[in-house]
Amino acid sequence: RRPCFTVCYICGREFGSQSISIHEPQCLEKWRIENDQLPRHLRRAEPRKPEVLTGGSCTITAENEAAYQSAQAQLLPCGNCGGTFLPDRLFVHQKSCR
C-alpha cells in the first residue's frame, strides 16, 4: 500500500505530511523570485491554496486534486503546439517548436 502524500498547490509535486509544511513556504518564495524575473506579459497572479469543503475519507484525495489543478493553472500554452509549460520553460520550448 502506498503511503499518503500531499500535493503542493504551487509546483504539483508530492510530499509527506511533515515535509509539506516546510516545502510550501520555500516553494512560494521561489515562485515569487522566478515570477518577478519574467517579462511583465508573462507574469502570473500568485497561486492561492485551494480550500476544499468535503468531509470523510475523501478529504485528502479532494485536497490533492484541487492542489494539482492549482499547479496546472500556472502553466502557459504554447502558441504553436498547444502544449503547456512553466513560463521559463515555454521560452526554451518555443525556440524549437515548429
Side-chain angles (χ1 to χ4, degrees), residues 34-45 76 87:
E34 290 175 353
N35 197 49
D36 288 343
Q37 292 175 349
L38 293 172
R40 288 207 184 270
H41 70 281
L42 291 179
R43 290 186 188 167
R44 302 156 289 160
L76 298 174

Side-chain angles (χ1 to χ4, degrees), residues 8-64:
C8 173
Y9 71 97
I10 303 162
C11 66
R13 293 173 40 208
E14 294 180 332
F15 293 89
S17 60
Q18 297 295 314
S19 57
I20 190 73
S21 61
I22 298 167
H23 168 78
E24 282 183 348
Q26 294 173 347
C27 189
L28 186 57
E29 185 60 33
K30 179 182 174 189
W31 183 92
R32 287 176 180 147
I33 291 168
E34 290 175 353
N35 197 49
D36 288 343
Q37 292 175 349
L38 293 172
R40 288 207 184 270
H41 70 281
L42 291 179
R43 290 186 188 167
R44 302 156 289 160
E46 187 171 302
R48 301 243 183 250
K49 189 167 189 164
E51 294 181 23
V52 179
L53 302 174
T54 61
S57 63
C58 296
T59 302
I60 296 295
T61 305
E63 287 175 358
N64 282 345

Side-chain angles (χ1 to χ4, degrees), residues 1-2 7 19 37 43-44 50-51 69 74 88:
R1 182 177 164 154
R2 185 174 176 207
V7 176
S19 57
Q37 292 175 349
R43 290 186 188 167
R44 302 156 289 160
E51 294 181 23
Q69 293 303 324
Q74 298 297 314
D88 61 330

Side-chain angles (χ1 to χ4, degrees), residues 79-92:
N80 296 329
C81 68
T84 55
F85 302 89
L86 290 171
D88 61 330
R89 303 285 51 183
L90 178 62
F91 178 71
V92 174

